Amino acid sequence: MGIVMMIVGIALAFGIMLFLNKTEKIKKDIATLFIASFLMALVLEIFTFNYTTYENIGQSLKKSESVITYDQAGVKSSNDDYFVSKEDDSEKPTFTVEINNIDSKVNNVFVEIPKDIESAKVSIDYKDEVITEYFPINDSDINVVYGTKNTQYIRLHLAGKTTALKIKIVSNDAVITSGMIKTGVNQDIPFRFKAWRLIVVCLVFFALAMIYRYRNLNYAGQKSKKVRKIAIVSLLVVQILFLYFLAYAQMKPKDGFLFEDTKTNSVSNYDQYQKLAIAFTKGQTHLDGVDEFTENGDKRQLDVLKGLKDPYKPFIRDKVMQDKGSSYEWDYAYNDGHYYTYYGPVPVIFTFLPVYALTGIMPTTRLITFIFAVIISLLMCLLVHNIAKRRKLNMWTVIGVMAASLSTIFLTSVFYGAKIYELSPLGGLICILAGINLVYEGVHRENKNTLFLSLGALAFALAVGCKASFLLASIVVLPLILNYLASKGNSEKKNKLARYFANIFCKENIKTIVAIAIPYVVIGVLLMIYNQVRFGSPFDFGVAHQLTVYDTSYFKPTVISKVPTVIQNGLLELPKTSANFPFIELADTEVTYHGYLFAMAGIGVFAYPFIWAFVGVPVTVKNSLKGSKDKAFVIATAIMALVLCYTTIVMGGASFRYSLDFGWAFVIPSIFVIFAIEGWARKKGVLRQALLGIFVVLLATIIINVLVTMSTGFSGFTDTRPDIYYDVYNTVMFWK
């Protein structure tokens, strides 16, 4: 009966879709279109997604259940057919339940764990009329989570009659002394109405219907203005909700999201940026001694470090520290008896510092990470809009490119850690995207160009104050600025290059050049003073002073023999596939190169189909952008993408979150290539076919990004919130 109900749901949804396609009123009325989408999602929710609820109907099954109690007196069952034992010598509570005299087809096994056990791993062996010795059912993904109904009913897919089952339940939590477990076979699976699944499916149907209805709208046209605004706002709302979900799901229930709980989290547990905010209020740049507890603890550590001839040699440092019964702050910078951070101070100055200085309350790093990610999402969509609004493009191509861009700048990778390591590049990316938007708009405007260019320069200068390597990012807009300045001059020099520079530095441009230079000079001087105070050199950001696994000072950008490693891990590393949700796992390979090269599970930028367009940059520059102001901008960004990818991996290593440093630079040229493909298809009369291909590529990119964030190799859901992870797991895998 279950399969019949699944087919009924699909047939009803398909019938509604046919009715939708043939009814003129529905085609024209958005409200009726939404109602139809809702009805399609509803029938799928009632029949198809819950088909297991009807599985026992019409079958002659033997049902049984038992309540198992355990305490210091022992373990006992309420059903004589259930023999229960507990392994006392195991590290975690482990129970074995043998169910005899079943003699029936088994559709499912029911396991409910006590409240004190957050989650448990379950393995099942069975006997039947042919197999007389226990034989394992090999499914490594059987997890039962307390309070998550989806996980409590385990469907076995066994053929014929089963005579006996052996269920092994291993708690994922610490040992507990007493509790109650419920088990059973062939229980009726309750109807599980998932509101969020209904909403998601409804919105997907509605979005597809809207795309089909308005499929021919021009993005920059007046007719599309209202629909365009609704589509962009909807995209951003979905993106923000998704980011919040990632932030929330990778946070333990006892952790605070908004502000630090000072009762349970002392200053010694704050990360470097939080400590730096406190340090600034005390008029210091070093991080030690920010409160009484850390002052005493840091002093003991720093006294040992002072006695070392070379504190940056990890093996010697670790051995001496261990011999003296001490430790040191991991991944801090150390110099002249003080702890520092080698990350730029700008994110602190605009977030933690003002809140703490005015209120005495310390925001959580996860909160600031979420806010930064939201701002980046807004800026990324604005950049695509600024590029698209001067072109004749299909509206849904532009909206799709916005969504794909958000997926391919590795923005979602930051929520697994949500620490200073992620916050620094996020702050820099905000500045970079703001700078690109300002400069791009400035060179294309009819007025107020100097103001926009100056603000853009300020944003790029602040990016360096987030992460020193982002100094290179300014190069991407340099051609835009130089070509704009050159267009204002009227030099008559015969030499083309001499005439170009004479036009740039003509009298009419002096005011603009000064306005662009001032932010770089001011921010640069302030950073140099900051570095001089900390490390005795205006150009020392502290990277060579790291107290981490290896002395990173020998990671030089000139080591070109690491190119194969860069290509493999930065560009071409593909995810692994799986038959189970989330169907994609990040590649987890050990990367070494004549010593230590940090590696963590990740994928290359070309794992996202949208970035495949990057290879079309030469053709796009030669044909579509010939004579355009954007030509040099695209060339510079494409080159910078490769340079940043190379320097990031060579000097820092291969890590998923490091892709945030260069992912954005691959996205921008890809945007221009996708738009150029549409323009070419429009001229050739194959626009419809091209749009279909673009739609598939963009949709695949978005889906891959969503699934990657749920990957157990990257996501922390299974540890922090197994209830959320396995609820999503079983809701998506409704057929399992």
Side-chain angles (χ1 to χ4, degrees), residues 159-212:
K161 289 184 178 181
T162 299
T163 57
L165 291 170
K166 182 167 67 175
I167 307 169
K168 188 174 183 180
I169 305 169
V170 182
S171 168
N172 292 325
D173 302 293
V175 176
I176 54 178
T177 57
S178 63
M180 181 176 69
I181 297 174
K182 293 181 181 180
T183 61
V185 295
N186 288 329
Q187 301 296 298
D188 292 331
I189 298 177
F191 183 84
R192 297 187 294 268
F193 185 87
K194 288 292 182 181
W196 71 264
R197 179 168 57 193
L198 174 70
I199 293 170
V200 169
V201 174
C202 172
L203 291 178
V204 169
F205 283 142
F206 183 63
L208 292 175
M210 290 289 288
I211 291 171
Y212 182 76

Side-chain angles (χ1 to χ4, degrees), residues 35-51:
I35 292 172
S37 301
F38 178 81
L39 290 175
M40 292 173 67
L42 185 61
V43 297
L44 287 174
E45 183 66 33
I46 293 173
F47 297 102
T48 302
F49 298 146
N50 272 288
Y51 83 99

Side-chain angles (χ1 to χ4, degrees), residues 343-417:
Y343 292 97
V346 167
V348 176
I349 295 171
F350 289 97
T351 56
F352 295 103
L353 180 59
V355 175
Y356 179 77
L358 295 173
T359 68
I361 299 173
M362 183 61 70
T364 63
T365 302
R366 191 169 298 277
L367 171 64
I368 305 301
T369 300
F370 170 71
I371 293 172
F372 277 15
V374 170
I375 295 172
I376 289 171
S377 299
L378 297 173
L379 291 172
M380 192 73 243
C381 288
L382 179 61
L383 178 59
V384 177
H385 169 76
N386 284 335
I387 295 172
K389 69 182 181 180
R390 295 176 176 88
R391 292 168 167 81
K392 186 178 181 180
L393 296 165
N394 179 273
M395 185 179 72
W396 299 110
T397 299
V398 179
I399 302 299
V401 166
M402 286 181 181
S405 299
L406 295 177
S407 299
T408 49
I409 55 177
F410 295 88
L411 187 60
T412 52
S413 68
V414 302
F415 286 103
Y416 177 60

Side-chain angles (χ1 to χ4, degrees), residues 70 86-87 90-95 113-120 169-179:
Y70 62 96
K86 181 176 182 294
E87 298 179 15
S90 59
E91 293 183 4
K92 296 181 178 180
T94 302
F95 303 88
I113 58 177
K115 184 177 181 180
D116 292 335
I117 298 178
E118 187 176 19
S119 64
I169 305 169
V170 182
S171 168
N172 292 325
D173 302 293
V175 176
I176 54 178
T177 57
S178 63

Side-chain angles (χ1 to χ4, degrees), residues 215-222 224 228 384-398 440 624 630 671-683 687 691 694:
R215 58 189 179 278
N216 296 321
L217 282 182
N218 175 22
Y219 180 80
Q222 285 298 318
S224 68
R228 182 184 72 195
V384 177
H385 169 76
N386 284 335
I387 295 172
K389 69 182 181 180
R390 295 176 176 88
R391 292 168 167 81
K392 186 178 181 180
L393 296 165
N394 179 273
M395 185 179 72
W396 299 110
T397 299
V398 179
Y440 190 86
S624 300
D630 298 328
I671 293 171
F672 282 92
V673 175
I674 291 290
F675 290 167
I677 290 173
E678 182 182 320
W680 170 85
R682 195 183 298 275
K683 291 179 181 178
L687 181 61
L691 289 178
I694 291 171

